[in-house]
Amino acid sequence: MLCSTALTVYFASHSIGTVVVTTLTCSLLLQLAYFASVLFLIWRSGCVSRACQRAEHFDSCKEVGSEPPYLHEVTNESADLLQPIKWLAISLLLP
């Protein structure tokens, strides 16, 4: 990228000084963009790890038994209600 920038600036201006200044400026901008992207990736990985820690904490709360005892009963009843609907849908698909 720096070579193509240098060649473009040289053919446009025919000045070695302008080429050097432009190439150094582009090099500095590329380094800043790289540094910013690395910082962004580090920040994002920190957010992901905090989210994973929260999920693990939530799972550990489930293991301790902090969810209501009737939750499984409600889930089982709703699954029992949906069972005939599933069979009806399957039977409609069969010829």
Side-chain angles (χ1 to χ4, degrees):
M1 176 149 177
L2 292 175
C3 291
S4 65
T5 303
L7 288 173
T8 304
V9 170
Y10 180 75
F11 287 126
S13 69
H14 297 291
S15 171
I16 298 293
T18 306
V19 169
V20 170
V21 169
T22 306
T23 305
L24 288 176
T25 303
C26 285
S27 173
L28 180 65
L29 289 174
L30 284 172
Q31 289 294 324
L32 286 174
Y34 176 74
F35 183 70
S37 65
V38 168
L39 286 178
F40 174 73
L41 290 173
I42 291 170
W43 172 76
R44 195 173 86 183
S45 70
C47 290
V48 169
S49 68
R50 282 192 299 271
C52 288
Q53 287 174 353
R54 280 190 222 119
E56 288 173 0
H57 176 70
F58 180 72
D59 287 340
S60 67
C61 289
K62 286 170 110 178
E63 290 171 4
V64 170
S66 58
E67 61 186 23
Y70 58 84
L71 180 66
H72 296 293
E73 295 171 7
V74 172
T75 308
N76 290 338
E77 287 174 6
S78 62
D80 292 341
L81 291 174
L82 291 176
Q83 195 69 14
I85 296 172
K86 288 180 185 177
W87 284 109
L88 177 65
I90 291 172
S91 64
L92 289 175
L93 291 175
L94 295 174

